[in-house]
Amino acid sequence: MLVVTKFGGSSLSCATQFAKVKKIVEADAKRKIVVVSALGKRDTSDTKITDLLYILHAHLKYGVPYEDIWEMISSRFLKIKSELNLSYDIKSDLNSLEKELNKSIPEDYLVSRGEYLTAKLMSDYLGYTFVDAKDLISFHYDGKIDYALTEKKVRLAFSEYGIMVVPGFYGAYPNGSVKLLSRGGSDVTGSILAKCLNVSLYENWTDVPGILAADPRIIENPKAIKEITYEELRELSYMGANVLHEETVFPVQSLNIPINLKNTNDPEHPGTLIKNVCDDKVDLVTGLAGKKSFVSFNISKNHMSNEVGFLRKALTIFEKYQVSVEHIPSGIDTFSVVVPYSEIEKSQYEIITELKNTLEAEVSLDDDIALLAIVGRNMAGKKGLCGLIFQTLGEEKVNVKLLAQGPSELNIIIGVSQKDYEIALKSLYQKLLA
Ligand code: ASP
């Protein structure tokens, strides 16, 4: 049994956090592959090393004095080395990097040094072998991961070293130059390693008690979800729940490797388990999420329902303007096309004119829509849930503008006016989850 264990930046912000990580890793011999982000914030006013490195790069590029930022970066690494009494000669690595600082240093390379140096400190501290991500995570030149090559390299490294620390967030092109994943990408590194070694569990350690059942900025102390399926997580993340990097699930999902989201500051807490099938039937609703700033093109025409190809003609226009369509609620001689405002910001008038001319229909735009998703694997086939939702919203005098439910009954999407979004979310949370 093998576990890939990934720690986020807040779990690595200072020597005290490093000590917690060591305790966690040593508590279970299966934790043989450790992936780290770069040093994160020590408190809310602090800056992540990755952000400092991006700023450093901008200063170098535009020829602005950069010495203070470099000092902030290097002193954070040096402090951890000295506080933990490590033998790793980070000073000489920092000195060589300092010599490389110039106008044309590649951004990806410079920014990746955050994870690189953090991993080196951690490997010394844990007594695990440091294995550079650029020698494992391999990209094709089109930016996609070369899984065949990556798997070969990961398996070889693991058979050679047995226990290893790998920096997250980057890999390399075939010519060896460093390429970053997108922001928050250390989650994905962990997931790729978990897939390549077909491990029994991928642990992802952060500073929250797991995936929360609703947005904590709106709901005070929402509960953490105990178990959630990959599909539910996808629905919640898509609708705005901010948890793991959204590409984390894909590598492990096909092999059905569970992800356990855990809190470094409270390791005994079970956190959230993400897997293919969850057997517990306790909660009807798993979580709520939502987003503001949607618009609805409302299209109506007498006897539209008899006109074959009407919908296709309408959707072709959205396709022409490269707008990705979210929902299409329909009536008999009317339907609406719901899209994020950001998608039509520049083309809304052209789209309306084209819809009117091509379809000879009435077209109006409702630009005040917030969407709310009620997600739950146990909702399918359950009677009365929609009744409860409408009753709850009705009691709060919230008007439902649109409603959509996919065939899997995994989620119910409700559209409300943006001013009603918070109250709708709060009342539904109280009724369905509290
Ligand atoms: N350090 C990188 C970031 O801040 C990657 C990560 O933490 O996953 O985005």
Side-chain angles (χ1 to χ4, degrees):
M1 297 272 264
L2 204 55
V3 175
V4 166
T5 308
K6 180 257 165 181
F7 293 92
S10 58
S11 307
L12 301 153
S13 58
C14 61
T16 318
Q17 293 300 85
F18 264 60
K20 290 182 191 170
V21 167
K22 187 175 167 87
K23 217 167 148 199
I24 290 167
V25 172
E26 288 177 348
D28 186 343
K30 296 194 288 301
R31 294 177 176 137
K32 290 188 187 341
I33 304 108
V34 175
V35 177
V36 293
S37 289
L39 312 181
K41 291 182 183 192
R42 288 160 291 189
D43 53 56
T44 44
S45 62
D46 203 8
T47 312
K48 292 169 80 165
I49 283 290
T50 304
D51 292 329
L52 289 173
L53 286 163
Y54 274 113
I55 297 169
L56 173 63
H57 184 263
H59 278 61
L60 290 163
K61 187 170 162 196
Y62 296 109
V64 180
Y66 62 87
E67 288 74 10
D68 288 354
I69 294 168
W70 171 248
E71 168 59 25
M72 280 165 85
I73 295 168
S74 52
S75 64
R76 286 204 53 195
F77 285 106
L78 289 168
K79 188 160 188 272
I80 292 182
K81 162 179 163 122
S82 84
E83 285 179 6
L84 296 176
N85 229 339
L86 301 176
S87 56
Y88 159 46
D89 184 8
I90 193 166
K91 186 94 193 109
S92 74
D93 272 359
L94 286 166
N95 287 344
S96 339
L97 181 57
E98 193 176 3
K99 287 198 194 98
E100 292 178 76
L101 298 180
N102 65 58
K103 220 175 159 41
S104 50
I105 186 167
E107 183 176 61
D108 279 24
Y109 169 73
L110 179 59
V111 172
S112 74
R113 297 306 85 187
E115 268 70 11
Y116 175 89
L117 293 166
T118 307
K120 283 205 140 183
L121 285 173
M122 187 54 81
S123 81
D124 186 10
Y125 189 43
L126 294 177
Y128 278 32
T129 306
F130 167 85
V131 183
D132 196 344
K134 90 173 174 38
D135 300 325
L136 298 179
I137 310 292
S138 311
F139 288 96
H140 292 291
Y141 280 115
D142 65 4
K144 300 215 171 79
I145 304 277
D146 180 343
Y147 269 105
L149 186 57
T150 302
E151 184 168 326
K152 214 165 118 194
K153 290 179 170 180
V154 171
R155 286 184 172 267
L156 199 68
F158 180 67
S159 66
E160 200 166 338
Y161 307 117
I163 45 173
M164 54 197 205
V165 175
V166 180
F169 192 35
Y170 69 91
Y173 285 116
N175 65 4
S177 66
V178 165
K179 171 174 164 44
L180 291 179
L181 290 151
S182 53
R183 289 303 304 265
S186 301
D187 286 344
V188 184
T189 307
S191 188
I192 294 171
L193 297 185
K195 175 189 164 81
C196 290
L197 293 168
N198 196 0
V199 300
S200 53
L201 180 67
Y202 171 30
E203 287 180 336
N204 193 297
W205 294 80
T206 65
D207 57 357
V208 289
I211 297 170
L212 302 174
D215 185 343
R217 289 166 302 184
I218 298 172
I219 309 293
E220 210 178 310
N221 273 327
K223 63 179 183 185
I225 297 169
K226 287 199 193 85
E227 291 197 0
I228 185 170
T229 64
Y230 299 123
E231 275 88 16
E232 287 176 301
L233 179 66
R234 166 116 179 94
E235 298 282 350
L236 285 176
S237 326
Y238 186 73
M239 282 303 285
N242 183 4
V243 219
L244 290 165
H245 188 293
E246 61 176 359
E247 273 156 47
T248 311
V249 160
F250 300 124
V252 290
Q253 185 171 12
S254 56
L255 295 178
N256 196 12
I257 299 167
I259 306 173
N260 195 182
L261 211 82
K262 300 262 295 174
N263 185 355
T264 302
N265 305 318
D266 185 9
E268 297 311 316
H269 190 288
T272 301
L273 198 59
I274 307 157
K275 48 187 189 162
N276 239 346
V277 182
C278 300
D279 325 304
D280 72 308
K281 297 266 182 285
V282 194
D283 296 317
L284 195 56
V285 172
T286 305
L288 304 175
K291 279 195 222 168
K292 288 185 174 175
S293 299
F294 285 90
V295 301
S296 166
F297 290 85
N298 301 329
I299 301 162
S300 55
K301 184 179 180 184
N302 280 343
H303 305 297
M304 169 207 289
S305 53
N306 300 333
E307 247 186 75
V308 175
F310 195 83
L311 194 60
R312 178 188 49 75
K313 281 187 218 152
L315 292 182
T316 306
I317 295 168
F318 287 92
E319 187 180 348
K320 179 177 158 194
Y321 287 93
Q322 292 288 302
V323 175
S324 124
V325 171
E326 209 80 12
H327 297 288
I328 314 175
S330 65
I332 295 179
D333 286 332
T334 156
F335 66 91
S336 50
V337 179
V338 181
V339 305
Y341 175 68
S342 56
E343 296 262 336
I344 52 104
E345 206 176 340
K346 298 206 173 65
S347 55
Q348 53 181 306
Y349 299 111
E350 286 88 337
I351 293 176
I352 292 175
T353 310
E354 216 161 310
L355 284 169
K356 279 184 178 164
N357 293 344
T358 315
L359 305 174
E360 293 170 347
E362 306 224 341
V363 181
S364 63
L365 188 74
D366 179 345
D367 61 359
D368 172 29
I369 294 186
L371 292 182
L372 234 136
I374 299 147
V375 176
R377 61 187 176 276
N378 295 330
M379 297 188 326
K382 295 283 157 37
K383 296 163 192 88
L385 180 62
C386 278
L388 190 60
I389 292 170
F390 288 132
Q391 186 196 347
T392 308
L393 295 176
E395 279 164 9
E396 298 295 336
K397 309 247 174 315
V398 171
N399 174 44
V400 174
K401 290 188 168 196
L402 67 92
L403 178 67
Q405 181 180 270
S408 62
E409 296 185 46
L410 185 64
N411 65 1
I412 297 171
I413 306 281
I414 288 177
V416 298
S417 166
Q418 310 203 69
K419 70 171 175 18
D420 291 336
Y421 176 69
E422 273 85 8
I423 183 70
L425 201 73
K426 281 183 185 156
S427 59
L428 289 175
Y429 183 85
Q430 273 312 318
K431 194 65 108 209
L432 304 171
L433 281 152

